[in-house]
Amino acid sequence: IYLNSIKELKKLNKKDEINTIVNFASSINSKNNLYNNFLSSFFYLLRIYFVLKKFNLGLIINIGSMWQDVPKMRFKSYVVIKNLTDFVFIKLFKKVNYLTIKLGDTYGVDDSRNKLVKILKDQLVKEKLELKGSKINLVFPIHTKTLSKIVEYILKNKTILINSNVKKLRAYVEPYTLLEFVNLFSIAHNFNKEILFGKSRGIYYEDLKPDSDFCFLINENMIDTLKDI
């Protein structure tokens, strides 16, 4: 069943058959500002929750971000809304079980978002790759296929996770430096030309303060997955 709006959800006769919500917030959020983040990460989820809470809703799985584990990022609108969503569903709406998956830098086939992999891919026809970030900035790549496997694992083992009082799940790899990641990307795409880095500071090791109850051990073959974009 495909529903085009919350209005259609309200009219659905099978609401009692829905027991889990998976909120892939960023899938509809093309503009990363406070208003759009509020709508996609929190407001629509809240409305869906109020429609379904009287039925058999038992679990909400929300897509969070590893940026939530970087204190210096806490005032960015994206992180503010992610943290707000966690607070409301963990501290206030305690009758529904809630899990948040803290993701790294997702990438995959036909991903049109203006993120690192797309920026690199768009430059493959040029004589050199140019990036604004420092070569020692950290990158936390995760392929969308791996995310699908993580969500599948959670759905199959949700009873164990819920009974273990798990709320926050870390789903980002041990980081690569930007230099290491770009070198892997270059190998995957047979790019052997010049690579230029800037001085813009991103996330360093000392910036990361993980806060999680459960951690996925992710082992991707980066060269193979970077070919698959």
Side-chain angles (χ1 to χ4, degrees):
I1 298 175
Y2 178 80
L3 301 176
N4 194 44
S5 66
I6 295 176
K7 185 177 181 180
E8 291 184 12
L9 174 63
K10 291 179 179 179
K11 294 179 180 179
L12 185 68
N13 293 325
K14 298 181 178 180
K15 288 192 285 292
D16 59 332
E17 296 181 16
I18 301 174
N19 53 46
T20 302
I21 298 171
V22 183
N23 184 36
F24 290 97
S26 61
S27 63
I28 65 168
N29 187 8
S30 58
K31 294 182 179 179
N32 191 11
N33 58 43
L34 181 61
Y35 177 73
N36 283 286
N37 285 326
F38 178 80
L39 288 180
S40 66
S41 287
F42 180 69
F43 182 67
Y44 294 133
L45 174 61
L46 190 66
R47 290 184 63 191
I48 293 170
Y49 166 73
F50 281 125
V51 172
L52 297 177
K53 71 173 186 175
K54 296 180 181 179
F55 297 90
N56 291 324
L57 181 63
L59 175 63
I60 293 173
I61 301 172
N62 192 54
I63 302 300
S65 171
M66 55 80 50
W67 279 17
Q68 292 174 269
D69 288 346
V70 182
K72 73 174 186 178
M73 298 289 190
R74 65 185 179 277
F75 296 119
K76 287 187 174 291
S77 63
Y78 181 76
V79 179
V80 168
I81 300 303
K82 293 293 185 185
N83 286 337
L84 171 66
T85 306
D86 288 353
F87 176 81
V88 169
F89 284 97
I90 292 175
K91 299 295 184 181
L92 302 182
F93 297 163
K94 296 183 178 181
K95 291 184 178 181
V96 63
N97 296 300
Y98 176 87
L99 299 172
T100 183
I101 308 173
K102 295 181 178 180
L103 289 181
D105 305 304
T106 55
Y107 66 97
V109 179
D110 298 326
D111 188 348
S112 61
R113 295 172 300 164
N114 192 36
K115 300 185 75 172
L116 176 58
V117 170
K118 182 179 183 298
I119 291 171
L120 291 170
K121 187 178 178 181
D122 288 347
Q123 295 187 64
L124 284 174
V125 295
K126 299 182 178 181
E127 289 300 313
K128 56 188 174 183
L129 296 180
E130 295 187 67
L131 295 167
K132 295 179 180 179
S134 165
K135 63 176 65 177
I136 62 172
N137 288 347
L138 298 184
V139 182
F140 302 80
I142 178 172
H143 198 283
T144 50
K145 288 183 179 179
T146 302
L147 171 58
S148 296
K149 293 177 182 178
I150 287 172
V151 173
E152 182 180 1
Y153 174 89
I154 293 171
L155 292 173
K156 288 181 178 179
N157 297 277
K158 60 185 180 181
T159 302
I160 296 174
L161 292 170
I162 290 169
N163 291 339
S164 300
N165 201 33
V166 168
K167 300 293 184 184
K168 301 174 182 179
L169 300 94
R170 171 177 168 171
Y172 54 89
V173 298
E174 287 301 310
Y176 296 86
T177 64
L178 184 57
L179 174 62
E180 291 170 337
F181 182 77
V182 173
N183 285 338
L184 290 171
F185 179 89
S186 298
I187 294 170
H189 292 276
N190 297 313
F191 186 89
N192 56 7
K193 301 174 186 176
E194 186 179 10
I195 303 172
L196 300 177
F197 295 90
K199 296 182 180 180
S200 178
R201 190 187 195 282
I203 298 173
Y204 292 175
Y205 278 103
E206 60 266 27
D207 298 324
L208 191 61
K209 308 294 181 185
D211 175 22
S212 57
D213 309 310
F214 185 95
C215 181
F216 286 96
L217 299 177
I218 300 169
N219 184 23
E220 292 184 344
N221 185 317
M222 291 303 303
I223 293 177
D224 286 345
T225 56
L226 284 170
K227 289 178 180 177
D228 182 28
I229 56 173

